[in-house]
Amino acid sequence: MPALAKRKSSSLASRTEHGGSMDLRSENTGRSNGECTPQKRKLRSNSSPMKASPVSTPMKRTSPRRSADVNLNTPENGIEGKICKRLPKLRKSPVKSLLNDFTAKQNWNPADAEQIRAVKEALHVSTAPSAIVCREEEQKKVLEFCKSCIEQEKAGSLYVCGCPGTGKSLSMENVKQILLDWAEEILGKDQPRKRSNGSTSPLQLLQNLYSHKPQSSGRKMMIIIADELDYLITKDRAVLHDLFMLTTLPLSRCVLIGIANAIDLADRFLPRLQSLNCKPAVITFRAYSKDQILKILQERLTALPYTIFQLQALELCARKVAAASGDMRKALCVCRSAIEMLEAELRESSNNLNCSSVETTFFEKHNDPDVAVVKKQEIDIVRIDHMAVALSKTFKSQVVDTIQSLPHHQQIILCSAVKLFRGGKKDTTIGELNKSYVDFCKSALIPPVGILELSSLCRVLNDQGLLKLGQSREEKFKRVTLKVDEADISFALQVAFWPFPCLFIVCLCETGNPFLPKLSSVSSVKSSPDSFVLDFGGILFQVLHPLQLQGISALERTHCLKAFTQMRKAISSRGECATHVSFQQRVDF
Amino acid sequence: MGRENPAEKALGLLRRRLCDPSFVFKPFSDSPDSNYSKLKFIISSSVTEACNNSILLLGPRGSGKIAVLELVISDLLLEFPDMISVIKLSGLLHSDDNCAFKEIARQLCVEHQLLFSKMASFDDNSQFMIAMLRECGLAHKTIIFVLDEFDLFSQGKQRLLYSLLDAMQSVSSQAVVIGVSCRLDADQLLEKRVRSRFSHRKLLFLPPNKEDMQRLLENILLLPTDSTFPQDYTVQFNAKLQNILADERFKDVLNTYINTDSTVNYLLKFLFRAVSNMDLVTGFLSLENFKTALSNVQRQPKLECIKDCSILELYILVCMKKLEIKEQNSYNFNSIMKEYKTVHDSFQTSDYYAQNVCLRAFEHLLQRELISFTDSRGNNQSIEFRPVKLLVSSHELHQGLKSYRSCPAILQKLMAG
């Protein structure tokens, strides 16, 4: 949605006050979510002349956003000049490193709040970059299309598609700006706006406009940029059709550019245009590759006069994000949170330093000053480990942590659900779950809770998104499905607790496991000094003596032997066959 | 008022503390690793650096997400008096986009003393919000949007989320969007456009571990050593409490309680019950208070019902259980009587009663809802012929028999065998 567009249009509106530029208004057709609504009310901010540039004015209190000298007669491209204006301010920041003279770029002092703020702002999603890299190809195509349409004074439609975060709206803004300037040079002044009156709907007005002969000669071309086009899809697809049909009317003078995410929007929702032979041309904005992301990040950071990131850190970020989605916003977000990691580390180290400040001053006097400075410099840039932590925080799912911190009974419920669904069933009822749960509790020697309590625990798990509860009149017949992957649960709970009281279980007997005989033959196994039988939850497992195991290394055999003897001791002290066991991750029983 | 018993005052103080979430979560605000500090750092850096941010608070219900958020916001309001305004929305009330925008407009109007018109349309409200965001951005006021029950906002077309997050993409607005949800996968529910604009910061609120739990208990239950209470009373109270907290049996009680639900809210309910059981005569908490609280919480209504049954009724229940084990899917009173006779014949019990007495016992069981008819219609049959089913599970029956005051051994044997 054109948040950027709105900003530009306000600057546009203010520039028309100054007069002289072409009034390429983008109109709104009826109920669309199109570009922006006509600026009926002038906001206070618009009237003040400083608003011409997107950099905000200094207000009563000290603002973190300094406006450098804002030149009222700024160059036409407001966006391009923004970062340049900020540079003079930044160079005045104090820099402490001694190695200043030897490096091309100054060293960054992360303790300086001003510099941190500048860096974060350069990496913020809302900051439009000074030059839009990696999208030159696509922009060129769009520009050529629009220019040819304008020159030949004929209508056309274009469809831009791509995943979120690939720079579509940004590029369209840029294109619009370039076209405005280009058109200003080539074509003449604007025409006075015509007031519309009467009760005709806007759609009819536009259609009339384009079907009949023009009243005045030399009417202007109109470029319509419609962002988030898929919100216009109604059940009968009338709105989209009417919009695109505007370009097919005989005397139409509008160029329509639609932006959306789906590649096949034009095919699926506008089949009729095919017959009229005016299907919109499609330009795909592919997801960013690793090199492109790296280039864009570096471009944003070149504006700052110091190095902030280690090159490997940036590469790691680019690689991970490109592999995941190719979404530029995510890359910027990860970089910002890496800076925050650095800040946190600095805070911690300064806390430690404060405690031992006497020692350090002592050392600094005696040691080489260069060494001390080099040490300090190591904390100064964002290293690869900061980036790794930031990446893991962004991409990690919280499921494993949450499952590990659930209370025991809820974990038992998850395990009993896993056991029930092993046979290929995908859902069950609370009554069945209760039976399985009670069996687990018996083998873990924890008193089970009643079925009322169980169903309220299931509801808690449902709220958290781990289970899914269906509706039913009776509690016992509510259907239960697992929403978490079974592998996550087993991984989360494979912690070994030994010996008692026990947690879990999670068993994992797989029929393909070479260490375990098939279940059908279990009934013939008896307890022998070499192996014993575990009964848990009604399923029998035979635990073989490690010497009988084939195909494991000596180290694993020692581990197995240890676990085996411990288990056997525990079981014999209990005097019964059924017990709870815990498994270590390496050993697969 | 005369001399107030310090025990009563202490009780009042403890109860007040337990009902005040900001008191409960305050000790966690010191450590730099806690969610409080992380949240505070993120919001305050957004305010001071004038950039936009979004964050999601996740955790089970009752783990203190809103409490910590309120603490952070009240601290920030003190620190930056005029630079923050807070808009609160709830997914239960405002999940419809129209309602949400109306509510945002209303709250903004109240905050800035503007007139709010109820007749404003959806477009007007959304325009207003975007204009206000821009204005506040210019005036360097950050708007904090708190979206409670965030997962409910992601139903439908997600227009509110999209407009909010998209407005935050422009330089001119200064806003922080904080989503609070109990669903772990709340951000998977978002559309990909909205998810792309949402910065993937998540704070997980996990139940407290052992040290945190200890700190929590001490913070709540220890009396302050200032002059509100007589000095010797305070010292004695605190010493006794420390003894209880270090006692193994207390730890067992606590662990049994927390095995079901380990959120802070649940723990507070338990403490409230325990504190209310405090003996006002002695004026000190004891281990018994906690044990009674536990047994009050872990009630099993059906077990208590079984304990009130007569021996004959128990016989009837056990016979029904045996019939179920024999896999007779539907049985009625007459078949139960046959089973009863068989039991009597094989074991020569002394509890053999006539048919009409048994029928009375049967009706009692029906009234107490330990058994019920399988079909609810009746078909004008008399009670003896309608099929019945058990409403207690075999486990509950077993438990009930074990805890019955003078259960005949035969019944236990029948249940086991």
Side-chain angles (χ1 to χ4, degrees):
Chain A
M1 190 62 186
L4 291 172
K6 286 213 176 60
R7 196 161 39 87
K8 275 319 293 174
S9 60
S10 75
S11 69
L12 249 180
S14 56
R15 280 195 298 125
T16 51
E17 295 178 292
H18 301 160
S21 56
M22 186 113 162
D23 186 0
L24 277 180
R25 267 182 10 239
S26 45
E27 261 202 23
N28 201 358
T29 59
R31 37 216 146 126
S32 72
N33 257 355
E35 162 101 295
C36 60
T37 55
Q39 296 273 332
K40 290 199 205 93
R41 16 177 203 148
K42 280 266 191 277
L43 301 168
R44 167 170 65 84
S45 44
N46 268 348
S47 43
S48 78
M50 296 284 241
K51 281 308 137 277
S53 88
V55 176
S56 49
T57 53
M59 300 301 287
K60 306 129 206 154
R61 61 190 113 252
T62 49
S63 89
R65 288 209 197 106
R66 308 286 151 76
S67 77
D69 339 273
V70 172
N71 195 359
L72 276 186
N73 303 326
T74 53
E76 317 299 322
N77 315 338
I79 295 181
E80 277 87 325
K82 196 153 73 85
I83 295 284
C84 308
K85 284 193 219 112
R86 261 207 212 99
L87 267 183
K89 199 78 183 152
L90 292 171
R91 287 228 176 85
K92 295 184 200 145
S93 320
V95 171
K96 285 187 193 160
S97 169
L98 284 182
L99 298 179
N100 191 7
D101 311 324
F102 307 126
T103 51
K105 276 208 166 185
Q106 298 168 2
N107 276 330
W108 178 45
N109 178 15
D112 186 4
E114 176 68 33
Q115 293 186 12
I116 288 231
R117 194 197 53 76
V119 171
K120 281 197 185 170
E121 195 153 347
L123 285 177
H124 199 267
V125 182
S126 56
T127 316
S130 47
I132 301 181
V133 294
C134 300
R135 286 298 176 211
E136 295 93 352
E137 189 62 40
E138 288 88 354
Q139 284 185 32
K140 201 162 61 113
K141 283 192 213 160
V142 177
L143 266 175
E144 279 169 9
F145 177 81
C146 292
K147 281 186 184 169
S148 69
C149 281
I150 293 179
E151 277 167 358
Q152 300 164 16
E153 292 207 354
K154 89 177 158 63
S157 58
L158 188 62
Y159 175 61
V160 173
C161 60
C163 292
T166 43
K168 302 183 292 293
S169 302
L170 192 62
S171 309
M172 288 306 113
E173 276 307 310
N174 207 19
V175 162
K176 190 172 92 170
Q177 207 40 55
I178 297 180
L179 277 177
L180 276 178
D181 309 330
W182 173 80
E184 203 178 289
E185 300 163 18
I186 299 199
L187 306 170
K189 283 187 146 199
D190 61 326
Q191 310 291 320
R193 258 189 7 180
K194 236 198 294 273
R195 296 295 318 171
S196 68
N197 48 1
S199 54
T200 48
S201 76
L203 178 62
Q204 280 178 337
L205 205 61
L206 281 170
Q207 284 173 338
N208 290 342
L209 206 56
Y210 289 140
S211 318
H212 308 310
K213 272 193 91 65
Q215 277 95 338
S216 50
S217 58
R219 275 189 24 245
K220 51 192 188 287
M221 292 287 294
M222 177 147 49
I223 295 191
I224 305 178
I225 302 184
D227 209 339
E228 310 292 355
L229 204 60
D230 46 343
Y231 273 127
L232 287 180
I233 297 177
T234 51
K235 254 208 159 104
D236 54 353
R237 303 162 189 177
V239 178
L240 262 192
H241 259 291
D242 290 334
L243 190 61
F244 275 89
M245 295 289 256
L246 280 178
T247 57
T248 63
L249 292 172
L251 296 167
S252 167
R253 299 171 70 84
C254 65
V255 182
L256 176 62
I257 303 181
I259 308 181
N261 292 130
I263 294 189
D264 56 351
L265 196 92
D267 301 331
R268 267 195 297 151
F269 295 106
L270 301 168
R272 280 189 259 161
L273 288 183
Q274 176 95 18
S275 52
L276 288 168
N277 208 18
C278 47
K279 244 174 80 138
V282 176
I283 296 186
T284 315
F285 275 58
R286 310 207 72 84
Y288 286 118
S289 70
K290 162 182 166 285
D291 301 318
Q292 288 177 326
I293 297 185
L294 192 55
K295 197 161 150 206
I296 297 178
L297 284 174
Q298 281 171 330
E299 163 71 36
R300 281 200 178 220
L301 293 172
T302 46
L304 300 167
Y306 27 69
T307 36
I308 300 120
F309 287 89
Q310 215 181 17
L311 186 60
Q312 291 91 333
L314 278 183
E315 276 179 4
L316 177 66
C317 168
R319 206 172 329 133
K320 197 75 199 280
V321 174
S325 56
D327 186 345
M328 197 60 219
R329 290 190 184 112
K330 211 153 189 183
L332 291 171
C333 195
V334 168
C335 290
R336 295 184 76 216
S337 81
I339 295 185
E340 278 169 18
M341 299 288 129
L342 180 69
E343 277 184 294
E345 189 184 319
L346 272 177
R347 267 204 311 271
E348 249 186 75
S349 71
S350 71
N351 281 346
N352 294 343
L353 270 182
N354 284 342
C355 307
S356 58
S357 56
V358 176
E359 301 167 37
T360 46
T361 44
F362 181 72
F363 276 121
E364 269 171 14
K365 281 206 182 76
H366 289 247
N367 286 359
D368 206 355
D370 281 341
V371 171
V373 160
V374 163
K375 269 213 171 68
K376 195 159 178 301
Q377 190 196 11
E378 281 172 8
I379 311 186
D380 281 357
I381 53 174
V382 178
R383 294 187 310 269
I384 205 166
D385 48 321
H386 298 127
M387 190 60 83
V389 172
L391 279 171
S392 73
K393 270 173 72 161
T394 311
F395 285 104
K396 187 169 78 145
S397 107
Q398 315 284 4
V399 169
V400 172
D401 283 336
T402 317
I403 295 183
Q404 277 176 342
S405 60
L406 283 178
H408 294 354
H409 284 288
Q410 295 183 13
Q411 286 174 328
I412 298 185
I413 292 178
L414 283 180
C415 284
S416 38
V418 165
K419 201 184 94 176
L420 275 179
F421 295 146
R422 255 168 194 258
K425 265 203 316 182
K426 280 308 156 202
D427 67 351
T428 181
T429 59
I430 288 199
E432 295 287 314
L433 194 64
N434 189 29
K435 287 201 194 112
S436 175
Y437 164 80
V438 166
D439 292 332
F440 257 83
C441 283
K442 270 204 292 214
S443 44
L445 295 182
I446 300 181
V449 297
I451 192 167
L452 288 177
E453 191 74 39
L454 181 86
S455 61
S456 71
L457 287 178
C458 285
R459 216 165 325 129
V460 169
L461 288 172
N462 176 43
D463 278 344
Q464 286 195 268
L466 298 167
L467 283 184
K468 185 159 153 63
L469 272 187
Q471 295 288 353
S472 168
R473 271 197 327 203
E474 272 212 43
E475 280 294 323
K476 263 176 47 164
F477 298 126
K478 285 196 179 165
R479 305 214 67 87
V480 177
T481 26
L482 257 187
K483 282 187 76 171
V484 189
D485 204 18
E486 182 187 304
D488 283 335
I489 301 182
S490 2
F491 177 71
L493 295 174
Q494 263 185 345
V495 189
F497 291 89
W498 191 263
F500 308 122
C502 193
L503 259 216
F504 284 168
I505 292 183
V506 198
C507 162
L508 323 194
C509 139
E510 289 168 287
T511 46
N513 192 324
F515 296 158
L516 206 62
K518 293 249 178 346
L519 281 181
S520 54
S521 60
V522 160
S523 54
S524 58
V525 167
K526 291 215 187 12
S527 207
S528 69
D530 288 340
S531 62
F532 53 87
V533 175
L534 295 176
D535 170 23
F536 109 53
I539 298 186
L540 298 174
F541 297 98
Q542 180 191 22
V543 183
L544 300 172
H545 197 276
L547 289 178
Q548 292 174 321
L549 299 173
Q550 320 274 350
I552 55 175
S553 67
L555 187 59
E556 284 173 283
R557 209 183 292 275
T558 338
H559 277 286
C560 291
L561 197 50
K562 203 162 144 194
F564 182 82
T565 35
Q566 272 183 322
M567 258 196 271
R568 221 213 341 239
K569 208 165 38 166
I571 290 170
S572 51
S573 68
R574 281 257 140 194
E576 58 195 3
C577 201
T579 178
H580 41 270
V581 280
S582 52
F583 299 95
Q584 307 218 325
Q585 194 163 351
R586 295 200 48 186
V587 178
D588 230 359
F589 277 99
Chain B
M1 326 189 181
R3 212 160 43 100
E4 237 183 55
N5 190 358
E8 284 173 4
K9 263 175 61 177
L11 185 60
L13 175 73
L14 289 178
R15 279 188 186 157
R16 256 199 307 277
R17 281 180 177 177
L18 284 167
C19 296
D20 182 15
S22 55
F23 181 85
V24 170
F25 284 98
K26 215 147 177 70
F28 294 125
S29 56
D30 319 339
S31 65
D33 228 6
S34 66
N35 283 333
Y36 172 88
S37 337
K38 288 186 199 161
L39 189 60
K40 187 153 183 216
F41 174 67
I42 293 179
I43 304 184
S44 57
S45 62
S46 310
V47 171
T48 46
E49 293 166 10
C51 58
N52 300 319
N53 238 330
S54 48
I55 187 172
L56 202 53
L57 303 180
L58 300 173
R61 285 194 200 279
S63 40
K65 307 182 287 287
I66 296 277
V68 169
L69 183 62
E70 293 288 328
L71 261 182
V72 169
I73 290 185
S74 55
D75 286 345
L76 287 176
L77 280 173
L78 288 175
E79 226 178 282
F80 307 104
D82 275 329
M83 286 172 72
I84 302 184
S85 61
V86 184
I87 308 275
K88 295 197 178 135
L89 294 174
S90 161
L92 290 169
L93 302 168
H94 308 124
S95 60
D96 177 37
D97 294 317
N98 283 331
C99 281
F101 276 110
K102 201 163 174 180
E103 182 62 23
I104 294 180
R106 190 188 67 83
Q107 289 192 19
L108 281 172
C109 288
V110 164
E111 181 95 16
H112 297 101
Q113 280 113 28
L114 303 166
L115 279 179
F116 171 66
S117 148
K118 289 195 195 153
M119 295 299 128
S121 72
F122 174 79
D123 278 336
D124 289 341
N125 283 334
S126 60
Q127 290 290 313
F128 176 65
M129 179 186 91
I130 295 184
M132 278 303 282
L133 274 174
R134 201 172 19 208
E135 289 296 314
C136 287
L138 296 171
H140 300 289
K141 227 173 148 140
T142 310
I143 303 188
I144 300 184
F145 289 93
V146 176
L147 300 175
D148 208 354
E149 311 287 345
F150 188 74
D151 42 306
L152 294 176
F153 278 109
S154 54
Q155 297 165 348
K157 274 190 162 181
Q158 304 184 8
R159 267 158 82 169
L160 170 70
L161 290 176
Y162 185 79
S163 346
L164 272 183
L165 292 172
D166 194 62
M168 281 172 32
Q169 301 271 295
S170 77
V171 191
S172 54
S173 61
Q174 242 171 275
V176 181
V177 172
I178 305 178
V180 179
S181 173
C182 58
R183 276 190 75 150
L184 290 179
D185 55 347
D187 62 332
Q188 305 297 328
L189 297 170
L190 299 174
E191 257 191 354
K192 57 182 195 295
R193 279 184 280 237
V194 181
R195 198 166 355 140
S196 163
R197 287 169 167 81
F198 189 81
S199 85
H200 289 253
R201 284 167 215 257
K202 288 185 243 187
L203 278 185
L204 202 52
F205 279 75
L206 293 174
N209 55 10
K210 282 205 166 30
E211 297 91 38
D212 286 341
M213 187 80 76
Q214 188 72 9
R215 259 203 320 175
L216 198 66
L217 287 172
E218 283 174 7
N219 180 48
I220 298 178
L221 294 175
L222 287 177
L223 288 181
T225 44
D226 55 8
S227 53
T228 33
F229 296 100
Q231 189 66 15
D232 44 352
Y233 172 71
T234 315
V235 166
Q236 239 186 331
F237 186 94
N238 287 348
K240 278 210 155 101
L241 191 63
Q242 292 284 20
N243 281 343
I244 296 179
L245 290 180
D247 195 349
E248 278 302 316
R249 292 172 293 169
F250 172 77
K251 294 198 172 108
D252 279 337
V253 164
L254 198 61
N255 282 339
T256 324
Y257 184 71
I258 290 189
N259 271 346
T260 2
D261 191 347
S262 44
T263 53
V264 177
N265 206 13
Y266 203 60
L267 179 68
L268 291 180
K269 285 190 204 160
F270 172 67
L271 289 178
F272 195 89
R273 275 203 167 91
V275 159
S276 307
N277 288 341
M278 184 166 96
D279 187 4
L280 287 173
V281 171
T282 54
F284 301 116
L285 279 176
S286 73
L287 191 58
E288 293 314 310
N289 299 136
F290 293 96
K291 283 192 178 160
T292 355
L294 183 65
S295 53
N296 282 346
V297 168
Q298 290 186 334
R299 293 183 55 225
Q300 307 251 37
K302 296 234 167 116
L303 275 188
E304 286 166 17
C305 258
I306 292 180
K307 275 196 239 179
D308 291 334
C309 286
S310 67
I311 305 271
L312 177 56
E313 287 159 7
L314 286 183
Y315 263 99
I316 295 180
L317 286 175
V318 172
C319 290
M320 288 176 78
K321 190 78 225 155
K322 289 200 67 166
L323 285 174
E324 267 189 16
I325 292 178
K326 284 191 201 165
E327 305 210 355
Q328 247 185 311
N329 285 334
S330 86
Y331 44 87
N332 58 15
F333 180 69
N334 289 334
S335 27
I336 298 175
M337 282 297 105
K338 277 204 211 105
E339 181 69 28
Y340 184 48
K341 190 160 185 332
T342 345
V343 164
H344 172 71
D345 289 338
S346 49
F347 289 103
Q348 297 299 320
T349 61
S350 55
D351 300 305
Y352 191 60
Y353 297 96
Q355 176 104 340
N356 50 352
V357 180
C358 296
L359 193 56
R360 281 306 284 274
F362 191 72
E363 282 170 4
H364 275 174
L365 285 176
L366 278 171
Q367 279 168 354
R368 226 174 292 135
E369 298 234 333
L370 286 168
I371 62 182
S372 78
F373 296 117
T374 42
D375 57 344
S376 41
R377 265 158 313 151
N379 292 343
N380 292 330
Q381 281 178 325
S382 65
I383 299 186
E384 293 118 337
F385 299 103
R386 288 172 65 184
V388 289
K389 66 176 182 210
L390 266 179
L391 285 181
V392 288
S393 67
S394 64
H395 176 81
E396 282 168 334
L397 193 52
H398 206 120
Q399 288 287 98
L401 287 178
K402 274 205 279 205
S403 54
Y404 197 79
R405 50 188 186 273
S406 51
C407 179
I410 297 175
L411 281 178
Q412 306 249 24
K413 207 159 71 166
L414 283 173
M415 270 305 292

